[in-house]
Amino acid sequence: VFEDCAVGDGERSGSFRMSEIYSGYVQSALNVLDGIDIEAVPAWADKANQQNEQASVESVALGAGLDNILRSYQKSGVNWLRFLEKRMFCGVLADEMGLGKTLQTLAWIQLQREHEEARDFPALIVCPTSLVDNWAEEAAKFTPHMKVATLHGADRHDKWDGIESVDLVITSYALMR
């Protein structure tokens, strides 16, 4: 477990550094062993507890507009994204085309971020150029309260100054590259 999670040597002999992303996993592994005491800085212990506190995915309040639109499997996708967010994990929605991954993602993005340091920043969607306008149209249709900026086309440079005042920035893989 430690070899897989270590990212470098620690300050003391026999110690190591580890990314916070592994804290819950390491804490769980150590808690099942007899005679093991964990000495950790409070921030690490808090992160580990946060990652391990919820055993199941909980339902998220989406608001009447989206709650009446999303199908049950789409709500499950939004709930799963929130579950991952609470633990500072990442995830991918990967199912068949046409099942509403765009809508699920927009429903999750419009929620207030769980972690204060992530609030008040726009979300970034990077997609194929052919889908930039589709993302903007879907956002206007399903989350009309969100301010959206599309960064593509000849006028994209003119939009840079306004990015901090929007909720969602949509651009293409080609421009990100």
Side-chain angles (χ1 to χ4, degrees):
V1 169
F2 294 116
E3 286 179 6
D4 289 342
C5 299
V7 295
D9 293 330
E11 295 176 7
R12 297 181 305 184
S13 176
S15 68
F16 64 94
R17 291 183 302 120
M18 163 180 62
S19 173
E20 286 183 341
I21 199 72
Y22 300 119
S23 55
Y25 174 60
V26 169
Q27 181 190 54
S28 294
L30 292 174
N31 282 342
V32 298
L33 301 173
D34 288 332
I36 299 293
D37 292 323
I38 301 173
E39 275 186 46
V41 295
W44 186 90
D46 290 345
K47 180 66 62 194
N49 290 333
Q50 178 185 19
Q51 290 175 353
N52 288 325
E53 72 185 359
Q54 179 185 338
S56 64
V57 177
E58 297 172 345
S59 293
V60 176
L62 299 171
L66 288 172
D67 195 50
N68 294 330
I69 293 171
L70 269 71
R71 296 181 175 177
S72 62
Y73 69 88
Q74 293 170 322
K75 290 176 186 176
S76 293
V78 176
N79 295 339
W80 181 72
L81 289 172
R82 178 62 104 191
F83 175 86
L84 294 176
E85 177 189 2
K86 284 183 176 183
R87 282 146 193 79
M88 298 186 77
F89 293 152
C90 299
V92 175
L93 291 174
D95 57 20
E96 300 295 322
M97 287 185 60
L99 293 180
K101 292 179 294 297
T102 302
L103 177 55
Q104 291 173 66
T105 303
L106 289 169
W108 173 71
I109 288 171
Q110 62 92 34
L111 297 171
Q112 182 176 19
R113 297 287 51 91
E114 281 289 316
H115 303 283
E116 192 172 324
E117 63 274 11
R119 294 180 188 155
D120 301 323
F121 288 100
L124 174 65
I125 297 293
V126 184
C127 59
T129 304
S130 61
L131 294 179
V132 170
D133 290 331
N134 181 68
W135 269 95
E137 290 167 9
E138 295 284 294
K141 180 178 179 180
F142 295 111
T143 55
H145 60 282
M146 289 192 343
K147 294 180 232 146
V148 177
T150 56
L151 296 182
H152 75 122
D155 66 341
R156 67 183 180 269
H157 299 292
D158 300 334
K159 299 177 183 177
W160 278 107
D161 290 338
I163 286 178
E164 291 179 3
S165 65
V166 301
D167 301 307
L168 179 62
V169 177
I170 307 166
T171 194
S172 67
Y173 295 128
L175 288 178
M176 283 298 293
R177 195 173 47 247

